[in-house]
């Protein structure tokens, strides 16, 4: 939603995605910093204090096509 991975500078992150296989997505949100990796390749890194409290969603859009499957979700509390 926030990070335009279709831009040329994110070509490596897009290339890390495996078609028709499981992919490992790592998300770190700590304070105002949010970072993501796909299969170990850095994808996003931004600083934004808009949403410091609340919930996280794993597939939130109005698309009507496709299927998303999740497995082995392991949230960790980084404040400890």
């Amino acid at each position: 939603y926030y990070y335009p991975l279709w831009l040329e500078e994110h070509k490596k992150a897009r290339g890390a995605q495996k078609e028709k296989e499981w992919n490992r997505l790592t998300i770190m949100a700590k304070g105002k910093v949010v970072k993501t990796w796909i299969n170990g390749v850095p994808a996003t890194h931004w600083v934004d204090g808009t949403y410091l409290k609340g919930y996280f969603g794993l597939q939130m859009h109005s698309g009507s096509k496709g299927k998303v499957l999740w497995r082995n979700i392991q949230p960790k509390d980084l404040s400890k």
Side-chain angles (χ1 to χ4, degrees), residues 4-7 15-16 19-21 25-26 28 30 34-38 40 42 46 51 54-55 62 68 71 73 76:
L5 287 177
W6 59 85
L7 296 175
E19 294 286 328
K20 298 183 181 182
E21 293 183 43
L25 178 63
T26 304
M28 193 252 350
K30 188 170 184 180
V34 178
K35 296 180 182 182
T36 66
W37 296 260
I38 183 159
W46 81 90
Y51 304 106
Y55 68 94
S62 60
V68 177
R71 71 175 186 174
I73 298 171
K76 296 178 184 177

Side-chain angles (χ1 to χ4, degrees), residues 7-24:
L7 296 175
E8 181 62 27
E9 57 263 33
H10 304 299
K11 187 175 183 178
K12 188 173 180 181
R14 288 192 312 273
Q17 183 176 353
K18 301 173 188 173
E19 294 286 328
K20 298 183 181 182
E21 293 183 43
W22 286 106
N23 291 278
R24 180 185 181 102

